[in-house]
Amino acid sequence: MEFKFQHLFAFLSVVVLVWSRVHGALPSEEYWNSVLPNSPMPRAVQDLLTPSSSGKSTAVGVTKGGVNVNTKPGKPGGTAVNVGHGRVGVHAGKPGRRTNVGVGKGGVTVGTGTRKGKPVYVGVHPGPNPFQYLYAATETQLHDNPNVALFFLEKDLHTGKKMNLKFSKATHEATFLPRQVADSIPFSSNKFPEILDKFSVKSGSDEAEIMKKTIKECEESGLKGEEKFCATSLESMVDFTTSKLGKNVKAISTNAENNNGDEAREYIIKGVKKLPSEKGAVVCHRQEYAYAVFYCHKTDATSAYKVAMVAADGSRAEAVAVCHRDTAAWNPKHLAFQVLKVKPGTVPICHFLPKDHIVWVAPKF
């Protein structure tokens, strides 16, 4: 599904980066390095950190009143960031059509000026999240969802096996917010009207329904034996994972060359390596939301693998596969059962992780 916040993401990324510096908060990358000094950051995480404005003209001024940043100095329509007296302000776009973002002690506010009915972002509802095992698949999912091809049986995880796969990633540009900013924004169903107001999203719109669905899935109880948590920041994801697996953890994501197109490719498996973990695995799935949110869950009956593959055109992939050995509590009409023609609790079911999902393991030493 395509889920876009248009240019708002870039502006929010700038404001939260400056805000974290002004308020003395550790940026997400520094927090990772302080807690996990021996764990390399996977590409899936790196891609969701606040981007820089490299390659673009940027003017930065420091005065007694604070810090001022302008991405198009001397030109209309740029992004201006003003920091001073405990508050950050962002003004983007041309006057009358600009997006204004403010961060202060009360949290984050977003206003889009004169939008003429244009939504902040657009999306098409794809049906239940395939990595939420309580839900039945829709007919549309069975025919159109690229995640169908990601599910397979563990017996097929061997050298020489051919599979048609598309290692997708979300097309929206939402990034992580620093924890202090994320924690200042409500994330609950009982405050949903306030959330919509924060992001200038119209109640009842497709965008609102997507956000409501994500929050609802995060608030629901997990399966029997499942420990679940929705991380609204990288820091909270690290904290949840280390609370379950300890600080000696490794985060891994799927890497695939030239696989961002719409068509699946035929891959042949060249090697399979089980990822040893003393305490099971934590798998974090990226959700559709205004900023980066991950649904993380831990089950003991889970194994993770690194799978080396080569496509017919020579492009390579190092995919992460997760196998669930206990599926008895899954919805009998879940996507995996309908695709693989098996019943809950009968055989281990595996799936590859999209490129922006993460598996955490605690290696044995």
Side-chain angles (χ1 to χ4, degrees), residues 26-286:
L26 280 174
S28 301
E29 187 172 7
E30 291 183 20
Y31 186 80
W32 177 290
N33 293 333
S34 69
V35 178
L36 306 172
N38 300 315
S39 301
M41 184 178 289
R43 180 67 180 272
V45 173
Q46 295 176 19
D47 288 347
L48 294 177
L49 295 177
T50 304
S52 66
S53 55
S54 59
K56 297 181 180 180
S57 175
T58 302
V60 181
V62 181
T63 66
K64 291 182 180 180
V67 181
N68 299 288
V69 181
N70 197 323
T71 60
K72 291 184 180 180
K75 297 180 180 180
T79 302
V81 181
N82 310 111
V83 182
H85 304 294
R87 181 174 176 80
V88 179
V90 174
H91 310 285
K94 296 180 180 180
R97 294 184 180 179
R98 65 193 326 169
T99 299
N100 303 303
V101 181
V103 182
K105 293 181 179 179
V108 179
T109 59
V110 180
T112 56
T114 305
R115 297 192 297 149
K116 297 183 178 179
K118 190 174 182 180
V120 178
Y121 58 92
V122 296
V124 179
H125 202 297
N129 185 336
F131 303 113
Q132 292 271 5
Y133 306 120
L134 287 171
Y135 299 105
T138 64
E139 192 66 27
T140 300
Q141 252 187 324
L142 287 171
H143 294 291
D144 300 330
N145 197 299
N147 290 307
V148 168
L150 296 181
F151 288 95
F152 60 96
L153 298 177
E154 190 175 33
K155 68 181 182 64
D156 293 324
L157 193 60
H158 60 80
T159 301
K161 177 67 176 180
K162 294 181 178 180
M163 294 184 177
N164 289 319
L165 299 167
K166 179 183 184 298
F167 295 109
S168 60
K169 62 184 290 188
T171 57
H172 59 85
E173 300 174 357
T175 58
F176 279 117
L177 298 182
R179 172 156 51 192
Q180 286 180 284
V181 177
D183 288 350
S184 74
I185 305 172
F187 189 81
S188 65
S189 296
N190 61 4
K191 292 190 176 181
F192 194 62
E194 183 180 344
I195 296 172
L196 296 183
D197 184 64
K198 290 274 187 186
F199 292 99
S200 299
V201 175
K202 184 179 180 181
S203 178
S205 65
D206 288 342
E207 298 79 27
E209 292 304 309
I210 291 169
M211 296 173 70
K212 182 189 294 185
K213 169 179 167 287
T214 293
I215 293 175
K216 176 178 178 290
E217 291 177 350
C218 285
E219 291 177 335
E220 289 183 338
S221 299
L223 297 170
K224 183 180 179 181
E226 176 190 34
E227 298 176 88
K228 61 175 287 188
F229 173 74
C230 275
T232 59
S233 66
L234 178 56
E235 294 93 326
S236 63
M237 184 196 298
V238 170
D239 287 353
F240 173 77
T241 301
T242 55
S243 72
K244 302 304 175 186
L245 303 180
K247 291 188 176 181
N248 179 33
V249 294
K250 187 174 183 180
I252 305 162
S253 61
T254 291
N255 293 304
E257 299 175 351
N258 306 319
N259 195 232
N260 289 325
D262 294 330
E263 299 297 326
R265 299 182 180 187
E266 183 179 74
Y267 286 89
I268 184 169
I269 296 178
K270 293 295 185 179
V272 179
K273 179 182 178 181
K274 187 174 183 179
L275 298 172
S277 185
E278 294 184 306
K279 303 176 182 179
V282 171
V283 186
C284 293
H285 304 287
R286 189 174 178 188

Side-chain angles (χ1 to χ4, degrees), residues 323-347:
C323 294
H324 300 279
R325 302 186 180 282
D326 184 2
T327 62
W330 292 20
N331 189 311
K333 295 185 178 180
H334 183 270
L335 181 64
F337 300 132
Q338 297 200 49
V339 171
L340 300 175
K341 309 301 182 185
V342 296
K343 295 182 178 181
T346 56
V347 293

